[in-house]
Every structure is written in structure tokens, then in C-alpha cells.
Amino acid sequence: MRAREVLQCVGLGESNDEVGRALHSSLETARTYVGPLLAKLGARDRSQLAVIAYESGLVEPGSR
């Protein structure tokens, strides 16, 4: 599921450009995923998405 992969990338601190490269897609596609993910999870910014990624176990400390 792309949303899960995007959340994991954001949790690792990746920029939209890095998310796009990691998912073999464009910067615009990465933005297209991040925006709705913010709304879907009720997060106000990428930092909150990162917290959600950690709390859900998608990202572990030191996993970068």
C-alpha cells in the first residue's frame, strides 16, 4: 500500500523529493500522497506524520 510506504519514508525524515525517488515516482506524485495522508491521519504537518510512523511501529529509532 503506497500510503504506508509514504508514511514510512516521512517517518524516516525524507523530503518529498526523496520519497518520490524511494517509490520510483515523481516529486509531484509524492506530494499527491503526502497531502491526503495528512488529512486522513488528522496530522497538521510532516512532523506529526513522523510521530505517527514511530507510534505505529513503521519506523524504529536508528532505522535510518
Side-chain angles (χ1 to χ4, degrees):
M1 176 185 260
R2 281 291 194 191
R4 184 181 180 111
E5 293 172 293
V6 171
L7 182 58
Q8 186 173 26
C9 288
V10 171
L12 292 170
E14 295 181 359
S15 67
N16 284 342
D17 190 45
E18 292 169 321
V19 171
R21 279 186 268 144
L23 302 178
H24 307 288
S25 59
S26 69
L27 170 63
E28 291 78 23
T29 301
R31 284 184 187 146
T32 300
Y33 279 108
V34 172
L37 194 56
L38 287 164
K40 182 177 182 178
L41 296 176
R44 69 177 170 267
D45 55 28
R46 294 174 68 92
S47 297
Q48 283 193 325
L49 286 180
V51 169
I52 292 168
Y54 274 89
E55 288 178 344
S56 66
L58 285 177
V59 179
E60 295 179 8
S63 60
R64 179 97 166 138

